[in-house]
Amino acid sequence: MTDEPKRALVIGAHPDDNEFGAGGTIAKLADQGWDITFIIATNGNKGSHDPAMSSFRLSEIREQEQRAAAEVLGVRRVIFLRNNDGELEPSPALRAEFALYIRHFKPHAIYTHDPWKHYMLHPDHRAVGFAVIEAVVSARDHLFMPGLGQIGIGVWRPEALYLWGAEQPDYAEDVSDYVDRKIAALREHHTQLDEVQGWEERVRQRMAEAGKEHGFAAAEMFKKLPV
Ligand SMILES: [Zn+2]
């Protein structure tokens, strides 16, 4: 028996969402030897208030920032789907694409946005959350996408799906030793955070507050769905 590493798939709408949502958890899993893959659904090409910035240039810079952030966390690979920022829909096509990655990478754990969060402004966060949840079902059951089974891409059932940004979280990950790594990864997203006052304090405070209830110095909270 080989000691095969556990695998995680982390799917975010924009470059930086994975770090905000689960950066501490990802760094922790990476240190435990997990094989971690990021999927970034959009190119983030509308995330700027700089009048001199073009969408084209921004999308290139944000891929570099995302690669640097992933490296800080110990992520093995980053897949860029390069959809336009703000234009995602939880379409059957997006669902099928996510399902294919799930069947291919065979993750034990999947992390993504909680699409049921009330009053969440950004449409891409909802779209990705719903498409991933639906994709888990398509990846798990053989009568979905039967042609993939015929070419050897069989079903895969992750152990659990973890949703960040949940209003009713029921799972706290102790990331007391990983706050600094999360901050360092976030700091790589220069286009998003260099001009934002106090973001680091807010992130640290939120993690400390989440941890307090559970006896940890810092935590990241998720809604955990068994699959
Ligand atoms: Zn986002």
Side-chain angles (χ1 to χ4, degrees):
M1 281 286 284
T2 52
D3 226 11
E4 210 184 322
K6 295 268 259 179
R7 294 174 297 272
L9 190 56
V10 188
I11 306 178
H14 310 104
D16 81 7
D17 285 336
N18 290 356
E19 285 77 17
F20 272 117
T25 301
I26 294 158
K28 181 178 176 179
L29 295 179
D31 277 9
Q32 291 172 357
W34 284 55
D35 177 310
I36 301 164
T37 301
F38 271 12
I39 295 178
I40 311 298
T42 77
N43 55 18
N45 70 352
K46 294 190 180 65
S48 176
H49 302 291
D50 175 1
M53 179 64 82
S54 75
S55 287
F56 181 73
R57 191 157 67 90
L58 182 59
S59 63
E60 286 199 323
I61 297 170
R62 295 198 69 183
E63 283 199 8
Q64 291 165 18
E65 292 175 347
Q66 182 60 76
R67 281 188 211 285
E71 202 175 312
V72 169
L73 296 176
V75 172
R76 299 250 183 117
R77 62 193 74 75
V78 186
I79 297 167
F80 295 99
L81 306 191
R82 295 176 179 151
N83 293 289
N84 277 322
D85 196 344
E87 298 177 10
L88 279 187
E89 291 179 57
S91 63
L94 187 63
R95 177 203 306 174
E97 192 173 3
F98 288 150
L100 183 53
Y101 292 117
I102 294 168
R103 287 188 178 198
H104 176 75
F105 287 112
K106 300 179 165 57
H108 301 88
I110 299 178
Y111 295 83
T112 192
H113 302 270
D114 185 339
W116 288 292
K117 183 178 180 179
H118 281 98
Y119 314 122
M120 180 163 63
L121 213 53
H122 210 300
D124 293 335
H125 294 177
R126 271 197 308 276
V128 166
F130 280 124
V132 171
I133 290 162
E134 292 161 4
V136 166
V137 178
S138 306
R140 182 190 69 184
D141 298 344
H142 79 286
L143 294 177
F144 285 86
M145 308 187 297
L148 290 182
Q150 292 164 41
I151 60 166
I153 303 175
V155 294
W156 178 258
R157 181 192 293 267
E159 287 161 11
L161 177 61
Y162 298 86
L163 305 175
W164 66 67
E167 283 176 358
Q168 295 152 335
D170 54 11
Y171 183 85
E173 187 71 51
D174 176 6
V175 293
S176 306
D177 297 333
Y178 294 94
V179 175
D180 290 341
R181 281 266 285 291
K182 173 171 174 148
I183 296 293
L186 280 166
R187 199 172 282 132
E188 296 291 344
H189 294 283
H190 296 285
T191 58
Q192 304 306 296
L193 292 169
D194 281 1
E195 309 294 319
V196 177
Q197 299 296 316
W199 67 266
E200 181 179 333
E201 255 337 285
R202 285 196 293 277
V203 170
R204 287 182 185 277
Q205 197 178 347
R206 209 176 305 137
M207 294 170 86
E209 277 166 17
K212 205 175 285 175
E213 280 177 56
H214 304 273
F216 306 139
E220 284 175 338
M221 302 299 299
F222 303 95
K223 176 72 187 178
K224 181 179 178 181
L225 301 180
V227 178

